[in-house]
């Protein structure tokens, strides 16, 4: 019995690690596919279409008798919400990933919880007590995160030589120079695309907390947004990608990545994250976010991608900022020590903000 209890206690830890492994696989595979010439617009469309193909039957089977009524205004809000957080965000992020690197894309995602917290403050869903230790930690966390964003966007620095570069021939060396050594201008532009995409995703997370109060069915909510984004993305892809050959799918890495991102990242990761949040809370889940950067760096080095010093420094700054904000957030929700006021001894509980949108981890 004790052994079974220990296994149950460890399940959230295994699930949280699997989530970050899933994201690391997405960064590495997506970057590899873009390097082969696949259109980012077509890729994002097929990815969302794959997710919709999985979610629609599940929603029909599980929610067909119990889903809340859908009004025109709710459908309109869901359509606009999908446009912001899926169509806009995923396209910008994919373009940024194409012009930078997998490690850069993974490092940039560490700013999502902090950006989410910033937007939550803007919408007055969160508060900062500047005279408290937790408030100071949050402010410092935001500052570290912004410093990390500026670092990865403007500073590339030297690189760590991949383990397999010496095995390539002269022909492949030319390919490496085109793929693994992007020009400084492309790197800066790609970094900006990544940041804008992550900021859009962070705003989407905050607005999601508001909309779920109006329409609480999470499965229908997610399914409709995937469907709406699929329809939006097909028009975006048709506008920006006129070459019909770019739309053809083959039994290769591109198809594997589309299925992986649609099924594993969009479907399985959401379920595992919900399991972790239910068992251990959102702070616990968000604490594992930097693991995706570690896994991505390991894969990138072995697969031949150059890791730049700017990505490492920026990633470290954002991880420090993330943990600073999470520590301040956790401090607010933990009962304080016994305090004395007006000669009476009592235990006071620090004010909890009531909204945990800043603790939500990225669901790309």
């Amino acid at each position: 019995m004790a052994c079974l209890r220990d296994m149950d206690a460890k399940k959230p830890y295994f699930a949280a690690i699997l989530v970050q492994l899933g994201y690391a696989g997405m960064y590495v595979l997506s970057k590899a596919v873009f390097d082969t010439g696949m259109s980012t617009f077509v890729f994002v469309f097929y990815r969302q279409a794959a997710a919709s193909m999985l979610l629609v039957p599940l929603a029909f089977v599980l929610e067909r008798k119990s889903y809340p009524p859908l009004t025109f205004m709710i459908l309109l809000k869901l359509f606009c919400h999908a446009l912001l957080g899926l169509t806009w965000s995923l396209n910008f992020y994919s373009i940024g990933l194409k012009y930078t690197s997998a490690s850069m894309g993974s490092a940039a995602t560490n700013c999502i919880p902090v950006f989410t917290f910033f937007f939550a403050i803007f919408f007055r869903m969160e508060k900062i007590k500047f005279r408290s230790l937790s408030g100071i930690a949050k402010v410092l966390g935001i500052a570290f995160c912004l410093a990390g964003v500026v670092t990865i966007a403007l500073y590339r620095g030297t690189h760590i030589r991949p383990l397999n570069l010496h095995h390539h021939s002269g022909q492949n060396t030319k390919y490496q120079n085109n793929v693994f050594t992007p020009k400084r201008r492309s790197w800066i532009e790609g970094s900006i695309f990544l940041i804008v995409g992550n900021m859009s995703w962070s705003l989407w997370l905050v607005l999601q907390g508001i909309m779920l109060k109006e329409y609480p069915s999470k499965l229908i909510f997610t399914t409709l947004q995937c469907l709406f984004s699929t329809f939006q993305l097909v028009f975006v892809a048709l506008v920006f990608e006129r070459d019909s050959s770019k739309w053809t799918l083959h039994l290769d890495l591109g198809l594997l990545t589309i299925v992986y991102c649609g099924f594993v990242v969009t479907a399985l990761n959401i379920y595992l994250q919900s399991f972790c949040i239910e068992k251990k809370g959102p702070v616990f889940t968000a604490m594992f976010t930097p693991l995706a950067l570690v896994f991505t760096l390991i894969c990138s080095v072995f697969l031949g991608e150059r890791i730049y010093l700017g990505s490492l420094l920026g990633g470290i700054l954002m991880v420090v900022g993330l943990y600073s904000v999470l520590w301040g957030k956790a401090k607010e929700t933990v009962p304080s020590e016994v305090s004395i006021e007006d000669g009476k001894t009592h235990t006071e509980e620090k004010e909890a903000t009531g909204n945990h949108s800043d603790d939500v981890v990225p669901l790309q």
Side-chain angles (χ1 to χ4, degrees), residues 7 16 19 23 35 64 80 83 158 214 266-267 298 300 316 318 321 355:
M7 288 297 295
V19 166
Y23 283 126
D35 286 345
R64 68 182 186 277
C80 296
L83 183 65
T158 58
E214 187 174 355
T266 301
I298 294 172
S300 297
I316 292 171
M318 284 189 288
N355 182 278

Side-chain angles (χ1 to χ4, degrees), residues 47-351:
R47 168 185 167 172
Q48 289 304 104
S52 298
M53 290 173 61
L54 177 65
L55 289 172
V56 169
L58 286 176
F60 178 78
V61 172
L62 300 176
E63 298 283 346
R64 68 182 186 277
K65 295 181 179 179
S66 59
Y67 69 91
L70 287 164
T71 64
F72 174 77
M73 285 305 300
I74 290 177
L75 288 173
L76 181 61
K77 290 178 181 179
L78 287 173
F79 183 88
C80 296
H81 195 234
L83 183 65
L84 170 69
L86 297 176
T87 302
W88 177 280
S89 174
L90 292 179
N91 271 318
F92 268 74
Y93 186 85
S94 297
I95 295 171
L97 187 62
K98 178 180 180 178
Y99 288 112
T100 54
S101 65
S103 57
M104 173 69 173
S106 179
T109 352
N110 287 291
C111 69
I112 289 180
V114 182
F115 279 151
T116 306
F117 176 73
F118 178 81
F119 284 121
I121 294 174
F122 180 81
F123 284 100
R124 298 184 178 180
M125 299 166 64
E126 287 287 347
K127 297 179 181 178
I128 295 182
K129 295 182 177 180
F130 292 98
R131 296 183 179 180
S132 67
L133 191 59
S134 61
I136 295 173
K138 288 180 178 180
V139 173
L140 288 175
I142 293 175
F144 274 112
C145 180
L146 293 176
V149 167
V150 173
T151 301
I152 62 177
L154 301 180
Y155 176 67
R156 188 167 63 176
T158 58
H159 67 270
I160 301 173
R161 183 176 295 276
L163 296 181
N164 65 343
L165 280 184
H166 61 279
H167 295 296
H168 292 288
S169 62
Q171 181 181 359
N172 287 336
T173 302
K174 181 179 179 180
Y175 172 77
Q176 293 163 21
N177 291 334
N178 292 334
V179 174
F180 297 118
T181 314
K183 295 180 180 179
R184 177 176 175 81
R185 181 178 176 182
S186 299
W187 184 272
I188 294 175
E189 291 175 350
S191 302
I192 293 173
F193 275 114
L194 285 175
I195 293 166
V196 171
N198 285 331
M199 290 181 68
S200 176
W201 185 268
S202 301
L203 179 58
W204 177 79
L205 288 175
V206 174
L207 296 177
Q208 179 175 272
I210 299 173
M211 292 192 63
L212 280 173
K213 294 179 181 178
E214 187 174 355
Y215 194 80
S217 176
K218 296 181 179 64
L219 183 56
I220 298 294
F221 183 89
T222 304
T223 302
L224 286 175
Q225 288 202 81
C226 277
L227 279 174
F228 284 144
S229 67
T230 301
F231 287 116
Q232 294 163 1
L233 286 164
V234 70
F235 287 106
V236 173
L238 286 171
V239 170
F240 287 96
E241 190 53 72
R242 304 292 182 87
D243 186 357
S244 59
S245 63
K246 298 289 186 178
W247 290 78
T248 306
L249 292 178
H250 305 280
L251 292 176
D252 55 8
L253 182 63
L255 181 60
L256 172 65
T257 306
I258 288 169
V259 174
Y260 176 86
C261 290
F263 287 13
V264 176
V265 178
T266 301
L268 179 61
N269 266 16
I270 290 177
Y271 172 78
L272 291 176
Q273 285 176 155
S274 300
F275 172 78
C276 293
I277 291 172
E278 180 185 13
K279 296 295 183 181
K280 291 289 188 177
V283 173
F284 170 87
T285 309
M287 291 284 284
F288 285 82
T289 302
L291 278 182
L293 175 58
V294 176
F295 294 144
T296 305
L297 288 173
I298 294 172
C299 293
S300 297
V301 170
F302 279 94
L303 293 176
E305 181 181 87
R306 289 182 175 179
I307 311 300
Y308 290 93
L309 180 62
S311 299
L312 288 175
L313 293 178
I316 292 171
L317 286 171
M318 284 189 288
V319 169
V320 172
L322 168 63
Y323 281 122
S324 180
V325 171
L326 291 178
W327 182 88
K329 179 69 177 174
K331 197 73 174 176
E332 290 181 345
T333 59
V334 176
S336 65
E337 299 294 330
V338 176
S339 63
I340 306 243
E341 182 178 319
D342 297 330
K344 295 180 181 180
T345 304
H346 63 91
T347 301
E348 66 175 4
E349 185 170 330
K350 292 188 178 180
E351 179 184 358

